[in-house]
Amino acid sequence: MQDITDVSIALAGNPNSGKTSLFNFITGSRQHVGNYPGVTVERKEGRVPIDDAIVTFIDVPGTYNLSPYTIEEHVARDEILSPKISCIITVIDATVIERGLYFLSQIIETGKPTVVALNMYDEFEDANNVLDTELLSQILGVPCIPTVGNRGRGVTELMATALKAARGEIDAVGKVHRFSHEMEHAIDETAELLGEGLNLNRRWAAVNLLLYGESFANSGYRKVLPGDIYTKVDVIRERLEDLEGRDINSIVAAGRYGYAAGAVAECMKTSEFQALTPTEKIDAVLTHRYLGLPIFLLVLWIMFQSTFTLGALPMTMIDNFFIWLGSTVSSVLPDGFLSSLIVDGIISGVGGVLIFLPNILILFFFISILEDSGYMARAAFIMDRLMHFLGLHGKSFLPMLIGFGCTVPAVMATRILDSRRERLITMFILPFISCGARIPVYVLLAGAFFGQKYAGTVIFSLYIVGMLLSFIFAKLFSFSNKVPSPFVMELPPYRIPTLRSVLLHIWERAYMYVRKAGTVILTASVILWFLMSYPKPADTGHDGNTKLPSSTAIEQSYAGRLGKLIEPALKPLGADWRMGVALGSGVAAKEIIVSTLATIYSISDEESGHGSKSLQDALKNDPTLNPVRAYGLMLFILIYVPCLAVLSVLRREAGGWRWVIAMIVYTLAIAWTVSYIFISIAERIV
């Protein structure tokens, strides 16, 4: 602890928050008034003895923002960032607390210790409002003290707490608000450009560079920034705005106001006679304690059912195109190595995955609507309550939410959790959350065995099972009875999604999916074709002419031998060696399960004269499969080993291969057990 006998504390806040009244009460007759150098903005300063220290209090000009545009904002920002300021008292009008928390989020971004004065608290209480200040303090990470500045209520406690924060005796730096995934990525990129040795908080500087560009540097920070940084930041900002479908100011404002609204929703009960905004009226239904979760589940069911129903026609058209393409190439090329490679390896493998592109696009159309409208944040808020009931940390739902898209960034997002134990628990429940890569497999099997009418409901049920498993195992892993610390969910105002933003999200997902089909899946399809075609059987039975291998020949291939090794473990699940090969290939990427099955059945069907049959028809006619076993396999695919990219990130984030091995063993054991139990019970009932 530093021995500080003279410290400087700034009072900052919005205009009309009672900041000056509070300052006057603290300093009394000990203040003097002047102007900041070079400007006409008034400067008030007073020195007050507190305990063994002489504390200098500075009344910073009132402002709503720390932008560099007005003189007041410029002066306030420079004063707050000044090295001589040891702590900031952020004065918030308790009657309009959300507006004050918006300003506080900017103060916290600077990295300076701060104490919140919830001023005009008497007026707040007169309106029959109730605020859990202890909970608010935990959420924000800074002390929050009710005050009535013109009467001195709470001022002594405020001054003592501020002095402790200035001396480092208490932690009052605050918890930095996290923006959207895209915005956080842009902040990280910008912070990377700033380099080392910066005499400013890197995150604060990155956010302000994105917001204000050269205007930020013109405020006096040019000398600490690399000269070519502005052009690079402009590129980052433009990419972010294109992806979000709105300008940077709207992105940041929505994030900060959402943060403020979420904190208030967690901590405050308002008078029932207070007029509600349209957003609050909608939230009264959508985030209702009892109705919120059923509505969320209904929304998910509609999304998955629509994904399958609307995607059925274009899916069939694409499927017919690849069937026609394969037949055409087969009729043009002579039987042999090249024909088999192109038709059975490339066209069947890649085409078998691309036919599900419409389903992927429709699914992410709905997800984009939910995100951009503000409802996805409500879903997180609803699930946060349930997770607290189960003993989970509220922050853990953010990686889970990201996991619906892809598990790789979800694992990386566990960094937001405070302890290593919490991060590991979250990492080990993420495989139960269905990523987008599993959708083609679900659509294939659900469409083949449950038909268009029930396929959406079947897929919806898999997502529910995954979430339930994540809750169950998180509870099992949480041996401690420690109550999870509070977590504020962003609740941005509802808005109508822009067509540009929705189309950009869909385009990004389509591009990623097609690129994956043209690179990873294409390569895997060729490799799998080779493994299923070689070695050639000793006796082809075709007078030396090279023909497509029969089903027996496939069993003797490299892939068939591997499948035979796996088959005993899969027999209780009603799966044969072919499904074993597909599941093994799915460790590389889950979409490859589809391309593997397409290649296997294409080779087998060519031999039996059914080369034009669709993959769903081939699976439906497979005597080893039925609806019960198909659902059991989908459960297995839902749970078992994540893809190689996830395992690679897990090794880095968890810190060692032992966690990767544990993940493989753990997920395989649970997947087999859940699938076996379901099939055993369901087959007896059915």
Side-chain angles (χ1 to χ4, degrees):
M1 184 192 305
Q2 291 181 318
D3 182 20
I4 302 174
T5 58
D6 196 347
V7 297
S8 294
I9 297 174
L11 277 79
N14 298 151
N16 304 313
S17 62
K19 174 176 59 66
T20 300
S21 296
L22 185 61
F23 172 82
N24 291 339
F25 190 92
I26 292 173
T27 58
S29 60
R30 301 181 183 90
Q31 64 180 259
H32 65 272
V33 180
N35 289 334
Y36 283 95
V39 295
T40 58
V41 178
E42 186 177 83
R43 173 190 178 96
K44 289 185 178 181
E45 183 176 305
R47 292 167 65 84
V48 180
I50 304 176
D51 295 334
D52 58 344
I54 301 297
V55 180
T56 300
F57 288 92
I58 301 168
D59 186 12
V60 174
T63 177
Y64 294 104
N65 217 331
L66 294 182
S67 74
Y69 296 138
T70 68
I71 294 176
E72 288 79 6
E73 289 172 343
H74 190 134
V75 169
R77 190 168 77 164
D78 287 352
E79 188 71 57
I80 288 168
L81 292 172
S82 172
K84 69 180 182 182
I85 299 297
S86 304
C87 176
I88 302 159
I89 294 177
T90 304
V91 184
I92 292 177
D93 181 351
T95 63
V96 284
I97 190 170
E98 287 188 27
R99 188 172 67 192
L101 292 179
Y102 179 94
F103 181 75
L104 175 67
S105 69
Q106 300 174 65
I107 298 291
I108 290 176
E109 284 175 359
T110 67
K112 290 268 190 173
T114 185
V115 176
V116 174
L118 296 168
N119 207 25
M120 304 183 187
Y121 207 75
D122 53 343
E123 296 180 18
F124 173 84
E125 291 176 321
D126 289 342
N128 296 320
N129 297 319
V130 177
L131 181 68
D132 189 339
T133 55
E134 291 186 6
L135 180 59
L136 183 63
S137 299
Q138 292 179 52
I139 287 174
L140 301 175
V142 298
C144 297
I145 300 169
T147 61
V148 181
N150 57 358
R151 298 180 189 171
R153 174 182 168 185
V155 173
T156 301
E157 181 184 0
L158 177 69
M159 294 166 63
T161 305
L163 179 59
K164 290 179 181 178
R167 287 176 157 175
E169 295 174 2
I170 60 173
D171 183 10
V173 175
K175 297 178 181 178
V176 175
H177 156 63
R178 306 285 298 183
F179 293 95
S180 66
H181 177 69
E182 291 83 4
M183 178 65 182
E184 286 295 327
H185 181 65
I187 292 172
D188 290 342
E189 282 189 284
T190 305
E192 192 85 18
L193 296 175
L194 290 169
E196 301 297 331
L198 187 71
N199 59 349
L200 297 168
N201 181 281
R202 282 164 59 89
R203 180 183 175 86
W204 179 87
V207 172
N208 281 268
L209 266 174
L210 286 167
L211 275 170
Y212 309 120
E214 287 203 58
S215 297
F216 167 76
N218 292 337
S219 300
Y221 305 111
R222 182 182 296 278
K223 60 186 177 212
V224 301
L225 301 176
D228 62 342
I229 194 173
Y230 311 111
T231 303
K232 296 177 181 177
V233 171
D234 287 344
V235 173
I236 296 172
R237 184 190 307 110
E238 289 171 7
R239 186 174 70 241
L240 172 66
E241 289 177 339
D242 282 341
L243 187 59
E244 290 271 5
R246 47 188 172 150
D247 61 56
I248 184 68
N249 290 292
S250 299
I251 296 170
V252 173
R256 286 173 176 165
Y257 272 122
Y259 174 80
V264 171
E266 289 274 352
C267 303
M268 189 171 78
K269 292 182 179 179
T270 59
S271 168
E272 59 180 322
F273 302 108
Q274 191 172 9
L276 298 177
T277 65
T279 290
E280 290 171 333
K281 290 178 181 178
I282 298 172
D283 278 343
V285 177
L286 296 185
T287 63
H288 189 273
R289 181 175 299 274
Y290 302 111
L291 296 178
L293 184 57
I295 291 174
F296 175 50
L297 295 177
L298 177 62
V299 169
L300 286 182
W301 178 82
I302 292 173
M303 181 173 71
F304 289 119
Q305 187 63 32
S306 301
T307 295
F308 193 89
T309 304
L310 298 177
L313 179 60
M315 175 182 162
T316 301
M317 294 172 63
I318 297 174
D319 193 16
N320 290 336
F321 168 75
F322 279 106
I323 290 174
W324 169 83
L325 182 62
S327 300
T328 302
V329 173
S330 295
S331 64
V332 172
L333 295 177
D335 290 343
F337 171 85
L338 183 60
S339 176
S340 179
L341 171 62
I342 295 176
V343 176
D344 302 318
I346 297 175
I347 295 177
S348 293
V350 176
V353 172
L354 285 180
I355 65 173
F356 299 103
L357 180 60
N359 305 93
I360 296 293
L361 298 186
I362 294 169
L363 176 66
F364 280 91
F365 166 79
F366 281 105
I367 291 176
S368 179
I369 294 292
L370 294 178
E371 287 180 344
D372 291 353
S373 67
Y375 181 70
M376 194 64 83
R378 271 73 185 177
F381 182 79
I382 293 165
M383 297 305 296
D384 177 54
R385 295 173 185 166
L386 177 60
M387 294 175 74
H388 271 78
F389 174 75
L390 295 169
L392 288 168
H393 196 295
K395 287 182 181 179
S396 296
F397 189 72
L398 286 184
M400 292 171 69
L401 200 60
I402 295 170
F404 285 112
C406 180
T407 311
V408 172
V411 172
M412 296 174 68
T414 59
R415 296 174 185 175
I416 67 172
L417 296 168
D418 298 327
S419 73
R420 173 173 171 79
R421 178 176 168 278
E422 291 170 342
R423 289 195 296 272
L424 286 172
I425 290 174
T426 306
M427 287 179 200
F428 272 73
I429 65 173
L430 284 175
F432 302 133
I433 304 299
S434 279
C435 63
R438 292 179 172 94
I439 285 291
V441 191
Y442 296 161
V443 172
L444 171 68
L445 293 172
F449 293 97
F450 297 95
Q452 182 175 329
K453 184 176 181 180
Y454 300 107
T457 303
V458 167
I459 296 173
F460 165 74
S461 71
L462 292 168
Y463 277 75
I464 298 302
V465 169
M467 286 191 287
L468 289 175
L469 285 172
S470 68
F471 294 149
I472 291 169
F473 280 91
K475 187 68 174 177
L476 291 175
F477 292 149
S478 300
F479 299 112
S480 171
N481 292 325
K482 180 183 177 182
V483 177
S485 56
F487 173 53
V488 58
M489 292 289 183
E490 291 183 26
L491 295 178
Y494 288 103
R495 64 177 188 270
I496 299 174
T498 64
L499 180 62
R500 175 184 175 85
S501 175
V502 172
L503 291 178
L504 278 172
H505 276 97
I506 293 174
W507 166 252
E508 182 186 42
R509 176 54 58 174
Y511 174 75
M512 291 173 59
Y513 190 75
V514 173
R515 185 179 65 178
K516 198 171 187 180
T519 54
V520 176
I521 294 173
L522 174 61
T523 303
S525 296
V526 172
I527 293 172
L528 286 165
W529 169 84
F530 174 81
L531 294 175
M532 285 185 279
S533 300
Y534 293 91
K536 293 287 186 181
D539 181 11
T540 62
H542 294 286
D543 300 326
N545 292 326
T546 304
K547 289 284 186 181
L548 289 168
S550 64
S551 298
T552 302
I554 300 176
E555 291 187 45
Q556 297 174 5
S557 68
Y558 296 122
R561 294 171 187 176
L562 177 61
K564 285 293 183 181
L565 287 175
I566 302 173
E567 190 175 46
L570 296 178
K571 274 289 186 184
L573 308 182
D576 61 7
W577 64 271
R578 290 178 294 185
M579 193 59 68
V581 173
L583 293 173
S585 67
V587 176
K590 292 298 177 281
E591 300 97 331
I592 297 178
I593 293 175
V594 176
S595 62
T596 303
L597 290 172
T599 303
I600 291 176
Y601 281 96
S602 175
I603 291 175
S604 300
D605 290 343
E606 281 290 345
E607 177 66 19
S608 59
H610 298 294
S612 63
K613 186 193 303 179
S614 73
L615 178 55
Q616 285 192 339
D617 288 337
L619 289 168
K620 194 185 303 183
N621 294 327
D622 188 332
T624 64
L625 294 174
N626 57 43
V628 169
R629 293 178 179 180
Y631 192 84
L633 284 171
M634 285 189 279
L635 287 174
F636 190 92
I637 292 164
L638 162 71
I639 303 168
Y640 91 117
V641 186
C643 67
L644 291 177
V646 175
L647 295 177
S648 175
V649 173
L650 175 69
R651 183 196 64 81
R652 186 178 71 237
E653 296 295 322
W657 285 106
R658 64 190 178 114
W659 297 109
V660 174
I661 295 171
M663 175 70 79
I664 293 171
V665 174
Y666 151 80
T667 54
L668 278 174
I670 297 171
W672 191 93
T673 302
V674 171
S675 182
Y676 177 74
I677 291 173
F678 169 79
I679 292 173
S680 299
I681 295 174
E683 285 191 332
R684 286 188 177 90
I685 296 174
V686 176

